[in-house]
Amino acid sequence: MATIAKPNLVLEHLNQFKQIVGTKNVFVEDEVLNNYAHDETEHLHYLPDVVIKARTPQEISEIMKLCNEHKIPVTPRGAGTGLSGAALPHLGGVLLSMERFNTILDIDERNLQVTTEPGVITEVLQEAVKEKGLFYPPDPMSKGSCMIGGNISQNSGGPKAVKYGVVRDYVLNLEVVLPTGEIIWTGANVLKNSTGYSLTQLIVGSEGTLCIVTKIVLKLIPYPKYDLSILVPFRSLEKAGEAVSAIFRAGFTPSALELIEIDALKITQQFIDSSAVPITDDLAAHLIIEVDGNHKETLMQEIEAIANLLTQFDADDMFFAEDAQQKAELWKVRRKVAESIKISGYTIEEDTVVPRAELPALIKGIKELGEQYHFHAVGYGHAGDGNLHIRIKKPGAQNTQDDEEMIQGVRALFTLIKKLGGTISGEHGIGLVQKSFMDIMFTETHLNLMRGIKKVFDPNNILNAGKIF
């Protein structure tokens, strides 16, 4: 494996960058550098040497050729909403912002596809295809601010993943710039492709370490006509976890199934004006359950059957969202949870995922580890696919990088997750903050295969080096 490139920027390089993208798109001012020195990951801050805002694949190609020749580190970045540090320029060098790649290029209604640039906001793309009666289901909680390119980088999911799958299930083809400057398409705009290795699927979830995505072709589906939502309170957090598995075993597939622990709700309601979710002292958690489809009567029968099933799990009085406003209020609360909890001091987030039947064991284990390692944790997330986000607050620890007891606690948590048949990230990626725990999940053989792939794409190790492993 090539050694990690070190910043080797000189004035001549800056002048060459300006010739490639224009002077107004190259930034070295402290204020700008600071804006791109952090994302939503814990409390981490790394200054780049320069921020470049390119606009075309050809410009990126020229930038990468120059950086590859002089071994200058390059960190690609979308909206800066990431939670693993994958877009942090911890080695300095070039921060390559993709925000000017912000055009939806084509909505192909005949073939149910959309071609887009990576800097398009996820929700903007969803709304654009919805106007055509089409549906792009992956919807991260930050969909109003995150970019499609970042979603590709992390293989994002969101609430709809439980029924519709994650980003990887919708990516057909990618135009990418390699670290050495070549521009290629990775596949074809077809639904089936058994022609050689799937470079497309390899790049999805690679966290910007293999190439820079400049165009994306996504599969779409028809937009479902109806959806119904129900809020179910539980007196026991573990019972709520048990109920999740029971729903699927009974033959139901919700379009969303979200869990919010009561402590998370209490914090969130301090920051938003909403009484959509009731809070009483005897409650431990809520499930938000949504079903969707094209036949309203069938959906009513389904949601009523789910509600009847959940009475077996010590559920309290359930709330049916009767109109669009009530449904919007429920999702408003859910989408504000992470931000609210972080503001309240829960700065460390772990993106755990286990087989859904193991959620009760995971929930119990988290509480026990909190007592052992002196942290307080609250849980919420995509319970329908076993993806529980855990926010942690520990006195004196703002991140997992410099507190030895917190590092030990996270390692114990990830060891438990491995034992339960899960893994250490469901949709946030590895980036900087999880890479030291990869040995829990993988042998050195696994990691060497990954390192070998990285070296083939990036022989000088300039692109997002030092991430994942």
Side-chain angles (χ1 to χ4, degrees), residues 55-58 60-61 98 101 103 105 116-119 174-177 183-185 211-216:
R55 181 61 190 94
T56 69
Q58 291 71 30
I60 291 180
S61 174
M98 301 301 290
F101 282 74
T103 302
L105 300 170
T116 181
E117 292 182 324
L174 298 169
E175 180 191 70
V176 304
V177 181
I183 302 172
I184 66 168
W185 282 92
C211 58
I212 297 171
V213 175
T214 51
K215 291 186 182 70
I216 302 158

Side-chain angles (χ1 to χ4, degrees), residues 294-315:
N294 294 322
H295 303 286
K296 195 169 185 179
E297 289 185 4
T298 301
L299 295 178
M300 282 297 300
Q301 294 171 0
E302 187 173 350
I303 203 78
E304 288 171 1
I306 291 173
N308 183 60
L309 171 68
L310 296 185
T311 59
Q312 304 173 30
F313 295 89
D314 201 22

Side-chain angles (χ1 to χ4, degrees), residues 119 134 175 189-190 206 231 248 418:
L134 300 174
E175 180 191 70
N189 301 358
V190 294
S206 64
L231 177 74
F248 292 90
K418 173 72 180 295

Side-chain angles (χ1 to χ4, degrees), residues 227-231 319-324 326-328 330:
D227 60 76
L228 301 175
S229 297
I230 182 174
L231 177 74
F319 170 71
F320 286 86
E322 296 181 356
D323 54 36
Q326 290 180 343
K327 284 185 282 189
L330 284 182

Side-chain angles (χ1 to χ4, degrees), residues 15-80:
N15 288 333
Q16 289 176 291
F17 292 143
K18 290 175 182 178
Q19 290 174 8
I20 294 169
V21 301
T23 300
K24 66 179 181 179
N25 294 308
V26 177
F27 304 86
V28 293
E29 298 82 5
D30 288 345
E31 181 180 358
V32 177
L33 299 183
N34 272 293
N35 287 339
Y36 290 85
H38 61 87
D39 60 6
E40 296 301 318
T41 308
E42 300 182 357
H43 279 288
L44 300 177
H45 189 273
Y46 301 98
L47 282 172
D49 292 294
V50 59
V51 172
I52 303 176
K53 299 183 181 181
R55 181 61 190 94
T56 69
Q58 291 71 30
E59 289 178 353
I60 291 180
S61 174
E62 292 303 312
I63 291 167
M64 295 310 301
K65 288 176 183 177
L66 179 62
C67 291
N68 190 56
E69 179 183 354
H70 297 282
K71 296 183 173 57
I72 299 169
V74 179
T75 304
R77 178 185 171 104

Side-chain angles (χ1 to χ4, degrees), residues 106-116 125-126 129 134-138 148 152 163-174 188-192 200-201 216-223:
D106 179 53
I107 300 175
D108 182 351
E109 296 178 67
R110 291 193 312 139
N111 289 306
L112 302 187
Q113 296 177 6
V114 59
T115 303
T116 181
L125 182 135
Q126 289 177 321
V129 300
L134 300 174
F135 189 28
Y136 174 65
I148 289 292
I152 299 291
K163 179 177 180 179
Y164 291 105
V166 295
V167 165
R168 178 172 278 123
D169 299 306
Y170 294 86
V171 180
L172 299 176
N173 202 359
L174 298 169
N189 301 358
V190 294
L191 297 176
K192 297 171 71 176
T200 305
Q201 295 303 309
I216 302 158
V217 182
L218 299 168
K219 177 180 71 175
L220 304 173
I221 60 177
Y223 200 90

